[in-house]
Amino acid sequence: MFNETMYKFLLAIIILITLLIRWYYRFKFYHKTQKVASSFKTREIVIAGSIGLSFFIPIILYYTDKLRFFNLNFPISVRILGGFFLLLNTLFLGWIHYTLGKNWSPILEIHKEQTLIISGPYKYVRHPMYTSLLFYTLGLPLLSSNWLMGLLPFISFIGVYSIRIPSEEQMMMSVFGKQYQFYMEKTKRIIPFLF
Ligand code: SAH
């Protein structure tokens, strides 16, 4: 029963839910608001594009059976657990988007009616969406039993953590000032109590 086709099917469902969440919030809110601050626009577009490609390329290769060389031979239990973890992560992503609402943007920007969100997942960490990105990089290699499915997305996570987060926090500070500073003192970036 548990053959590669089944894992591919499960992954397709996970990808579809993820894309539906992203698209729903993109079309509902994005581009409908006036921007007051945007940082490093070209660099940001490159980062956003690289994140997309770091997932897209290995996924396409996986579906076309070109990734066998990177196979990890995980047992069924590990693969199913990875799929379950990814499904939970899509719920987490939905919760994040729901909480962030119209404040979300794919590149670093702040718009006119933006408010500082500190509720829901934002109560525990400042960048839950990047936590969720990290969770995708962990779940994908487990479900696909393939290390390239984790390596490329993880590289983009490192880029997000070391380049995008510092700029994002600087941008948030420039608009929300003391309010954001106070929020920074109370929360960690990605994992509660850790980092
Ligand atoms: N870094 C956040 C959000 C990613 S989306 C996360 O990982 O969950 C990026 C946009 O979200 C940024 O352009 C910024 O305008 C907005 N943003 C980030 N943190 C926010 C917050 N606490 N409240 C409101 N908007 C926020």
Side-chain angles (χ1 to χ4, degrees), residues 96 100 103-110 114-118 122 126-131 164 168 171-172 176 180 183:
I96 296 161
L100 197 56
N103 299 298
W104 176 71
S105 55
I107 61 171
L108 295 186
E109 289 169 329
I110 295 192
Q114 188 139 353
T115 49
L116 179 65
I117 303 291
I118 53 167
Y122 290 86
R126 296 197 291 281
H127 304 285
M129 205 173 278
Y130 306 148
T131 309
R164 195 188 225 200
E168 183 166 337
M171 180 188 77
M172 295 297 284
F176 295 102
Y180 197 75
Y183 177 50

Side-chain angles (χ1 to χ4, degrees), residues 82-100:
F84 188 64
F85 178 65
L86 284 172
L87 278 175
L88 284 179
N89 196 29
T90 61
L91 292 181
F92 182 48
L93 183 70
W95 184 37
I96 296 161
H97 267 290
Y98 175 77
T99 311
L100 197 56

Side-chain angles (χ1 to χ4, degrees), residues 22-40:
R22 300 291 286 185
W23 289 338
Y24 176 75
Y25 283 96
R26 195 184 176 106
F27 291 116
K28 192 166 175 209
F29 295 123
Y30 193 56
H31 287 315
K32 296 202 173 125
T33 45
Q34 200 184 335
K35 311 296 171 212
V36 292
S38 77
S39 303
F40 313 103

Side-chain angles (χ1 to χ4, degrees), residues 103-167:
N103 299 298
W104 176 71
S105 55
I107 61 171
L108 295 186
E109 289 169 329
I110 295 192
H111 64 81
K112 224 172 157 188
E113 297 114 57
Q114 188 139 353
T115 49
L116 179 65
I117 303 291
I118 53 167
S119 59
Y122 290 86
K123 206 160 34 180
Y124 307 102
V125 283
R126 296 197 291 281
H127 304 285
M129 205 173 278
Y130 306 148
T131 309
S132 155
L133 179 73
L134 177 65
F135 289 166
Y136 278 104
T137 75
L138 299 176
L140 281 173
L142 295 182
L143 172 61
S144 63
S145 181
N146 198 292
W147 61 263
L148 205 75
M149 289 281 270
L151 181 72
L152 292 186
F154 189 70
I155 292 173
S156 64
F157 169 77
I158 300 284
V160 164
Y161 192 82
S162 54
I163 303 173
R164 195 188 225 200
I165 290 184
S167 316

